[in-house]
Amino acid sequence: MKQEEAKLKIQEFVKQLNQWNLEYYENDNPSVDDAEYDLLLRDLRELESQFPELVTKDSPTQKVSGFVASKFEKYEHREPMLSLGNAFNKEDLQDFDQQIFKANGNRNYKFFAELKIDGLSISLIYKNQKLFKAVTRGDGLVGEDVTANVKMIKEIPHEIKSEEEYVEVRGEIYLSKAEFNKINQKKAQANEPLFANPRNAAAGTLRQLDSRVVKERNLQAFLYFYMNRDSKDILTHQDSLKLIKDLQLPVNGEGKICDSIDEVWDYIEKYSAVRDQLPYEIDGIVIKVNEFETYEKIGYTSKTPKWAIAFKFPAEIKTTKLLSIFPTIGRTGRVTYNAQLEPVQIAGTTVRAATLHNADFIMNRDIRIQANVKIKKAGDIIPEVISAIKDTEFEKLLVWEPSTNCPDCNSLLEKISGEVDQYCINTNCPKKIIRSLQHFASRDAMNIEGLSIKILEKLYSEQIIKDVADIFKIADKKEVILNLENFGEKSFLNLITAIEKSKSNSSERLLFGLGIRHVGKKTAKVLIKNYKTIANLMTIGFEELSQIYDIGNVVAKSLIDWFNIMENKNLINKLVTLGINMDYKNDSSNSSDIFRDKIIVITGTLSKSRNYFRELLENNGARVTDSVSGKTDFLLAGEDAGSKLVKAKNLAVKIISEDDLKSMMEEK
């Protein structure tokens, strides 16, 4: 595979995985199962190992998955809450064992195997024996302060008996199967949407703003990691669990010491057979080295400890009939195909629909309407059609053919060269416009509370809103809007307040909300951080733009193409006239001017990851690029710097070491 082809593929994988992370961690509403996510993550990791120069800081391989919801206070973890690497078979576990042996230099270690509870990670912090903070994992570095809600969980004591002033214990919040069924029964009686699974229900409950709801739903917890182990001279993971239990915190009693991977495998087989009989959901087995003294020797990656791994249970597979295939249109015009299924029970939930992704996915698997199909489901998430069953009736069925016209506006669908997806390219397609408006108003974009998809559909059908600029004019349409069904004075005033508030957002929200292809939330932030205003961004050429780290040729071309369209220029002008902020509002109170607007390249091996230094420099106003040129102000060079160092010397670029960087920042 050529580098440019690999780059496009990596960008596609990163975008999809980050979208799935958003659905899973922040929205508590995943669209794919764990198995599909893990498979794509493995494909990405393999590609990145072949082309390490293409690894980006927003890659899911480089960071802990998760998000920090805006409705909760943020809390920075003292130590990162890392995720775990995955194993899918015995060979993966044997490889894990071999890596431990190489790092440790001997086999003087044992394993501790324990159930992987399918819930929400939590960190409990006690100060002077009292519960001070309860914090979700968030993005691994910063989590959500959910202390008030965690205090509603009966099993978690508000006080502990400890000689230490500061105690931190980590674990999992979960919902039992029985409580999950009770909640969904109540939701069904009230005609409310059901929770997909206990994990989603637990996450949704813990993120409630009303603590009384949390109390009613009977969340539970298992704690499994004592962060103060050094101060207590605890030698093993098994000892730390005993200490957690002595603090009267709930501990899962199913864990076991294993002398070898063969014993670990016996443990996995035992609980694979009985997992359905447990009162709570598990989605795998966690295997940790038991001896703490080996942890620093074995080490960490940027997102996972190397001394632990999670064995993931294989996907559950069921058979059902595919009743119909229908397309839907997204905000970019991209077509997604979906399957209507004969209802089937998987892991305690009834499944009636599944995604079929795109036309190529369906045709390559020769999936036909009325065929019996295999459905996979892992982690109790919404399933995917794996394949059609080629039985005696299959050949009698018509071969499926892709839609040729948009289901909403009837325009011809088109395929973009090099992509598998079909698109509706009609700029006046009602579904595209409504989805674009929904995206513009969404939480990660302009964050206009109260402007739901149903309200947007109503305002669009009444021709009150035709594009995003019209959102900021609806105050003038008060009389017309109040005459619409289900619109009251209070809801209208709340909506106007939210719209007015959104005008002052930092401009990366606006840039993301415009829905430019390949410009996601993080890319928008990088662009606006570098160029400060949307006006500046509109003047930047392709070559300079593509050199910004995390941007590249595809994003640069997409951005320039979008700003070259007169209709889009006119939209920006309208938004300016309507008083929408176009400038970056720096959210870093600790930044200095020493690197502001300086162009910096990072190369070589440093004491911490390049992502760490990249974020440090960007937070201090620098523009971090990939290539050394005459415009480069500094080259931050570690060991084995290579060709970039040679080029910097030839161009008389100032070369600084990690120590130089530290001194410059301390001096400032």
Side-chain angles (χ1 to χ4, degrees), residues 320-323 341 366-374 387-389 391 393-394 397:
T320 188
K321 181 170 281 189
L322 191 152
L323 303 177
L341 304 170
D366 195 11
I367 297 170
R368 304 182 187 183
I369 295 171
Q370 294 299 313
N372 291 316
V373 292
K374 290 182 179 180
S387 61
I389 297 171
D391 52 23
E393 298 298 314
F394 180 79
L397 302 175

Side-chain angles (χ1 to χ4, degrees), residues 626-646:
D626 285 333
S627 303
V628 176
S629 71
K631 293 182 179 180
T632 305
D633 294 295
F634 297 102
L635 177 75
L636 173 59
E639 294 179 11
D640 304 320
S643 60
K644 289 182 181 178
L645 179 60
V646 175

Side-chain angles (χ1 to χ4, degrees), residues 497-538:
T497 300
I499 290 170
E500 287 300 311
K501 181 182 176 183
S502 75
K503 288 182 177 181
S504 60
N505 287 334
S506 185
S507 59
E508 70 271 11
R509 283 182 169 272
L510 172 61
L511 183 62
F512 174 56
L514 292 172
I516 303 169
R517 286 197 74 205
H518 306 300
V519 178
K521 175 184 171 183
K522 291 191 176 179
T523 301
K525 185 80 175 269
V526 169
L527 288 165
I528 294 298
K529 262 190 170 183
N530 275 280
Y531 295 108
K532 309 308 175 196
T533 72
I534 286 180
N536 289 342
L537 192 57
M538 293 172 73

Side-chain angles (χ1 to χ4, degrees), residues 1 3 6-7 9-15 17-18 40-63 302-303 549-550 611:
M1 185 182 290
Q3 188 183 55
K7 188 172 185 178
K9 190 61 81 174
I10 284 173
Q11 288 173 339
E12 177 189 336
F13 288 175
V14 167
K15 182 179 179 183
L17 287 164
N18 283 335
L40 190 60
L41 185 62
R42 292 177 88 175
D43 290 343
L44 173 62
R45 190 173 284 117
E46 186 177 325
L47 255 185
E48 289 181 339
S49 68
Q50 295 174 35
F51 299 92
E53 67 278 12
L54 298 181
V55 178
T56 61
K57 68 177 181 180
D58 72 334
S59 171
T61 65
Q62 303 300 304
K63 62 180 183 178
S302 61
K303 62 177 285 189
Y549 187 84
D550 266 1
N611 288 343

